[in-house]
C-alpha cells in the first residue's frame, strides 16, 4: 500500500502558492508539444500492461547514481506482467515510454521530491520505476485523467500508483512549474541537453523507409495498391503533409514515407502480408551493395544480421540467382518454427543457417568455398540511427542503446570494446581468401567504429596473399 500523509502537511498559504504554480504549469504545457506539431491526437494514456512493461525496461536502463546523489531508491526485481506480450504496438509503446522517462529521469525524480511524494509516502522500492514512467506520462497528458477502455484488464500496482499521482496532482504540477522557472524553460523538453534535443529534432524530420518484397509483389502493384489507399507518388517526401510516398534514389525497391504516417501504414495489408517491410535504410544500402558485387552463382556470408528482415531482403534480391545465403551465429533460433515460418511467408528459399559464431568458422570451411562476398554488420554504438526504439525492436539490439541516446553519446570504454570486436570480425573476414569483397556496415557516427577500424584492418592484411580482381573494391564501408 502507498500511505500518504503529505497532503495534510501544508498550510492554506502554501496551498494558494501551489495552486498558482500548478495553474502556470498547466497553462504553459501546450508549449511542450513543440516537437510534436504534426496534428497528432491528444494523448489519453496507455493500457496498464504498457506501464508495467515500460517500468521493467526503465528499471534495466535507468541511470545509476553514486550513493551521495541518490534521491530515490529503486528495487531490483521486475514487476509481474499479465503475460508475455508479443503485440508489436504494445512493445513499441512500452519502449517509447521507458525511453522518454529515461531522458527526463533527473527532472522526474526532482519533481517527486519537491512535491513531497517522496519521502512523505511509504512507497515500496520495487514500484519506483513504475512511478517514474507513469509520472512522465501524467505530465505529458498535462495532468489530465487517463481514458480507460471498458474491456481493459487492470493491474493492481498500476491502479495504486495512478491514484497516488492523482492525489498529488496539484503539487506535482507546481513542482514542475518551479523546475521550469528555475531553468527558465518553456517546457521540460527545453531542459534536455542540446545533443539530445538535436537527436530528437533530427529523428522528427527523417522519413520512414520500407522495401518491396518483389518475391510476392511487383513495384507497380505496390504503387497501385497505395494509390487505392489514398497515397500519391511524388519525387521527394516532405516532413509533414499529405499521404505521399517516393522511390529512394539509391535503392530502387525502397519507398520513402513521411514519418507521421507509420500507424496508418501498419494497418495496410501490404505490410501485414510482408509485401512491404519497414527497415532502416542502412540495411537496404548494405544488401544492395552486396547485390552490385555478385555474379549469378556467387554465395554470400552474412554476419551479425540483427533483423531477419536483412536476410530476407538479401534473399529477395538474389531470387533469380543460384546464390546461397549463409547466415552464421544462429544457435537455438535455427530450429525456431517462427523463423522458418517467416522465411516461408516472405518467399525466401536460398537461406542456410549456420549455428557457429563467425569467429569460430574456419576460413577454409568446405561449405563456404563459393562465398565471394561477406556482409559484416557488427554490433555498434548505433548513434547514427534516427529512431533507437525502432532499431531495438527491428534489429534485436540491446536496450542499452536507449541509455546512450538519453545521454547524447557512448562512453569511451564501451566504444573501445565495440571497436575491438569490430576489428576482430573484420580481420577474420579478410582471412577468407576466396571471398573477393567485404561489405562492412555500421549505424555509428564515430570514426573509431568506421574509418579507424577499416584502416587498422587494412594494415593487418597479409600482402603476400594475392587476391584476384573482382567487380568492386576488396573492402567497402557502408555507413
Amino acid at each position: 500500500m502507498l500511505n500518504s500523509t503529505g497532503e495534510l502537511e501544508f498550510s492554506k498559504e502554501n496551498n494558494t502558492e501551489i495552486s498558482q504554480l500548478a495553474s502556470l504549469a498547466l497553462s504553459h504545457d501546450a508549449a511542450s508539444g513543440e516537437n510534436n506539431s504534426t496534428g497528432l491526437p491528444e494523448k489519453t494514456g496507455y493500457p496498464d500492461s504498457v506501464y508495467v512493461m515500460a517500468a521493467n525496461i526503465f528499471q534495466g536502463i535507468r541511470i545509476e547514481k553514486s550513493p551521495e546523489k541518490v534521491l530515490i531508491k529503486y528495487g531490483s526485481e521486475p514487476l509481474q506482467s499479465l503475460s508475455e506480450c508479443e503485440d508489436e504496438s504494445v512493445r513499441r509503446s512500452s519502449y517509447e515510454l521507458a525511453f522518454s522517462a529515461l531522458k527526463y529521469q533527473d527532472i522526474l525524480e526532482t519533481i517527486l521530491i519537491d512535491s513531497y511524494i517522496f519521502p512523505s509516502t511509504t512507497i515500496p522500492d520495487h514500484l519506483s520505476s513504475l512511478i517514474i514512467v507513469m509520472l512522465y506520462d501524467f505530465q505529458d497528458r498535462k495532468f489530465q485523467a487517463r481514458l480507460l477502455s471498458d474491456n481493459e484488464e487492470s493491474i493492481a500496482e498500476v491502479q495504486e500508483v495512478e491514484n497516488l499521482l492523482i492525489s498529488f496532482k496539484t503539487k506535482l504540477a507546481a513542482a514542475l512549474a518551479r523546475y521550469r522557472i528555475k531553468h527558465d524553460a518553456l517546457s521540460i523538453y527545453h531542459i534536455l541537453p542540446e545533443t539530445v534535443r538535436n537527436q530528437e529534432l533530427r529523428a522528427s524530420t527523417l522519413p520512414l523507409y520500407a522495401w518491396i518484397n518483389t518475391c510476392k509483389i511487383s513495384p507497380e502493384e505496390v504503387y497501385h495498391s497505395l494509390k487505392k489507399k489514398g497515397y500519391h507518388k511524388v519525387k521527394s517526401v516532405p516532413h509533414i503533409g499529405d499521404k505521399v510516398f517516393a522511390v529512394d534514389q539509391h535503392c530502387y525497391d525502397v519507398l520513402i514515407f513521411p514519418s507521421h504516417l507509420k500507424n496508418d501504414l501498419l494497418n495496410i495489408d501490404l505490410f501485414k502480408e510482408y509485401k512491404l517491410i519497414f527497415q532502416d535504410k542502412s540495411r537496404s544500402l548494405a544488401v544492395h551493395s552486396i547485390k552490385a558485387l555478385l555474379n549469378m552463382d556467387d554465395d554470400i556470408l552474412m554476419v551479425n544480421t540483427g533483423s531477419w528482415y536483412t536476410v530476407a531482403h538479401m534473399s529477395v534480391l538474389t531470387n533469380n540467382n543460384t546464390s546461397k545465403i549463409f547466415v552464421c551465429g544462429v544457435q537455438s533460433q535455427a530450429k525456431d518454427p517462427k523463423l522458418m515460418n517467416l522465411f516461408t511467408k516472405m518467399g525466401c528459399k536460398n537461406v542456410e543457417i549456420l549455428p557457429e559464431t563467425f569467429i569460430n568458422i574456419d576460413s577454409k570451411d568446405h561449405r563456404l568455398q563459393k562465398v565471394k562476398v561477406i556482409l559484416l554488420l557488427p554490433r555498434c554504438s548505433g548513434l547514427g540511427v534516427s529512431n533507437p526504439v525502432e532499431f531495438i525492436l527491428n534489429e534485436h539490439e540491446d536496450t542499452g542503446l536507449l541509455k546512450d541516446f538519453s545521454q547524447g553519446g557512448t562512453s569511451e570504454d564501451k566504444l573501445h570494446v565495440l571497436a575491438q570486436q569490430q576489428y576482430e570480425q573484420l580481420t577474420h573476414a579478410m582471412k577468407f581468401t576466396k571471398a573477393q569483397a567485404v561489405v562492412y556496415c555500421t549505424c555509428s557516427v564515430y570514426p573509431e567504429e568506421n574509418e579507424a577500424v577499416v584502416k587498422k584492418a587494412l594494415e593487418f592484411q597479409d600482402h603476400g596473399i594475392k587476391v584476384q580482381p573482382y567487380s568492386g573494391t576488396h573492402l567497402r564501408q557502408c555507413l
Side-chain angles (χ1 to χ4, degrees):
M1 285 292 291
L2 308 179
N3 300 316
S4 172
T5 59
E7 289 291 322
L8 303 176
E9 296 179 357
F10 289 85
S11 66
K12 186 174 182 180
E13 182 180 348
N14 284 334
N15 281 334
T16 300
E17 179 187 356
I18 288 170
S19 296
Q20 291 172 344
L21 285 168
S23 297
L24 175 64
L26 295 172
S27 65
H28 282 276
D29 264 334
S32 65
E34 180 177 310
N35 61 327
N36 183 28
S37 56
T38 57
L40 296 176
E42 288 293 321
K43 297 181 179 179
T44 57
Y46 299 99
D48 287 14
S49 58
V50 169
Y51 292 119
V52 170
M53 185 180 292
N56 287 337
I57 295 169
F58 176 81
Q59 175 68 19
I61 60 176
R62 63 181 176 82
I63 308 300
E64 295 192 25
K65 302 176 181 178
S66 56
E68 66 273 10
K69 294 183 178 180
V70 170
L71 297 178
I72 294 174
K73 294 182 179 179
Y74 294 87
S76 57
E77 296 298 321
L79 294 172
Q80 294 296 315
S81 57
L82 295 174
S83 60
E84 189 69 27
C85 181
E86 296 186 3
D87 187 295
E88 185 177 349
S89 64
V90 170
R91 295 180 67 233
R92 179 177 289 106
S93 295
S94 301
Y95 273 95
E96 287 174 348
L97 180 55
F99 184 36
S100 295
L102 179 66
K103 286 184 289 187
Y104 295 100
Q105 180 180 335
D106 282 345
I107 300 173
L108 296 171
E109 288 181 349
T110 301
I111 290 172
L112 288 170
I113 297 294
D114 193 34
S115 65
Y116 289 89
I117 285 186
F118 287 91
S120 64
T121 56
T122 306
I123 302 173
D125 291 349
H126 75 280
L127 290 183
S128 295
S129 292
L130 182 60
I131 291 174
I132 289 288
V133 298
M134 291 188 69
L135 174 58
Y136 173 80
D137 180 55
F138 194 31
Q139 68 79 32
D140 199 38
R141 287 184 277 121
K142 306 178 180 67
F143 298 99
Q144 298 303 305
R146 181 168 57 126
L147 297 182
L148 300 174
S149 172
D150 292 336
N151 58 355
E152 183 183 321
E153 192 169 358
S154 63
I155 299 175
E157 290 88 348
V158 173
Q159 302 297 316
E160 198 169 10
V161 169
E162 184 168 43
N163 290 336
L164 173 72
L165 295 177
I166 291 173
S167 72
F168 274 81
K169 171 182 174 179
T170 304
K171 294 187 180 69
L172 288 168
L176 173 59
R178 282 192 292 270
Y179 196 96
R180 289 196 332 213
I181 291 170
K182 179 181 178 181
H183 291 84
D184 193 24
L186 190 61
S187 72
I188 62 172
Y189 168 75
H190 295 90
I191 304 172
L192 287 175
E194 185 178 0
T195 52
V196 177
R197 282 187 279 123
N198 287 340
Q199 285 172 347
E200 290 199 355
L201 178 62
R202 176 174 173 270
S204 68
T205 58
L206 289 178
L208 298 170
Y209 294 91
W211 54 271
I212 302 170
N213 183 352
T214 52
C215 281
K216 303 191 74 171
I217 193 170
S218 69
E220 290 72 22
E221 289 174 312
V222 170
Y223 306 156
H224 179 70
S225 179
L226 288 171
K227 187 175 181 180
K228 288 172 63 177
K229 295 291 184 180
Y231 286 81
H232 304 282
K233 187 179 177 184
V234 294
K235 289 187 177 180
S236 62
V237 170
H239 301 327
I240 58 175
D242 298 330
K243 296 169 70 172
V244 296
F245 69 94
V247 178
D248 183 71
Q249 62 177 326
H250 303 112
C251 308
Y252 61 83
D253 62 345
V254 172
L255 301 184
I256 313 171
F257 298 90
S259 59
H260 69 277
L261 295 175
K262 181 154 192 179
N263 288 335
D264 181 67
L265 290 165
L266 286 171
N267 292 317
I268 294 178
D269 288 341
L270 288 171
F271 287 91
K272 293 179 180 179
E273 297 171 358
Y274 297 102
K275 294 176 180 177
L276 268 178
I277 293 91
F278 281 124
Q279 197 170 21
D280 192 87
K281 183 182 172 180
S282 66
R283 296 319 194 215
S284 294
L285 281 171
V287 295
H288 274 274
S289 297
I290 293 284
K291 179 67 166 62
L293 296 169
L294 289 177
N295 296 314
M296 285 294 292
D297 60 347
D298 292 339
D299 289 346
I300 305 154
L301 178 60
M302 299 183 70
V303 184
N304 299 334
T305 56
S307 171
W308 292 113
Y309 290 151
T310 306
V311 178
H313 198 178
M314 190 76 262
S315 176
V316 168
L317 288 178
T318 56
N319 187 52
N320 295 323
N321 297 19
T322 57
S323 301
K324 184 178 290 186
I325 300 169
F326 293 95
V327 184
C328 62
V330 183
Q331 297 174 5
S332 61
Q333 294 183 55
K335 298 179 181 179
D336 189 344
K338 291 182 181 178
L339 171 59
M340 306 318 296
N341 186 41
L342 174 65
F343 285 145
T344 300
K345 285 182 178 179
M346 299 187 75
C348 304
K349 301 175 181 177
N350 58 343
V351 178
E352 184 169 328
I353 304 297
L354 305 179
E356 301 96 330
T357 60
F358 178 55
I359 295 296
N360 291 330
I361 295 179
D362 190 275
S363 60
K364 296 181 175 60
D365 192 299
H366 68 92
R367 298 166 296 182
L368 307 178
Q369 294 310 295
K370 289 180 63 180
V371 168
K372 290 298 190 289
V373 185
I374 298 173
L375 173 55
L376 182 57
L377 300 164
R379 281 196 65 237
C380 66
S381 61
L383 268 293
V385 304
S386 59
N387 188 324
V389 169
E390 292 295 337
F391 191 67
I392 287 170
L393 292 175
N394 293 338
E395 303 296 328
H396 311 301
E397 285 294 327
D398 185 0
T399 54
L401 176 63
L402 298 180
K403 182 182 289 189
D404 293 340
F405 260 81
S406 72
Q407 297 181 307
T410 303
S411 69
E412 288 189 13
D413 288 344
K414 181 176 179 180
L415 203 58
H416 175 75
V417 171
L418 289 170
Q420 182 60 31
Q421 292 173 351
Q422 292 152 1
Y423 170 75
E424 290 172 0
Q425 292 183 348
L426 191 48
T427 52
H428 187 62
M430 295 168 67
K431 295 176 183 176
F432 288 72
T433 55
K434 291 194 175 182
Q436 299 295 308
V438 176
V439 174
Y440 175 78
C441 175
T442 76
C443 293
S444 171
V445 296
Y446 293 110
E448 293 92 329
E449 297 183 275
N450 294 311
E451 296 89 343
V453 169
V454 172
K455 182 180 179 181
K456 186 177 179 182
L458 286 172
E459 291 170 353
F460 160 85
Q461 188 174 18
D462 186 349
H463 296 288
I465 299 176
K466 186 173 178 61
V467 181
Q468 302 206 355
Y470 197 67
S471 59
T473 58
H474 298 319
L475 187 66
R476 288 193 175 190
Q477 180 183 1
C478 175
L479 297 177

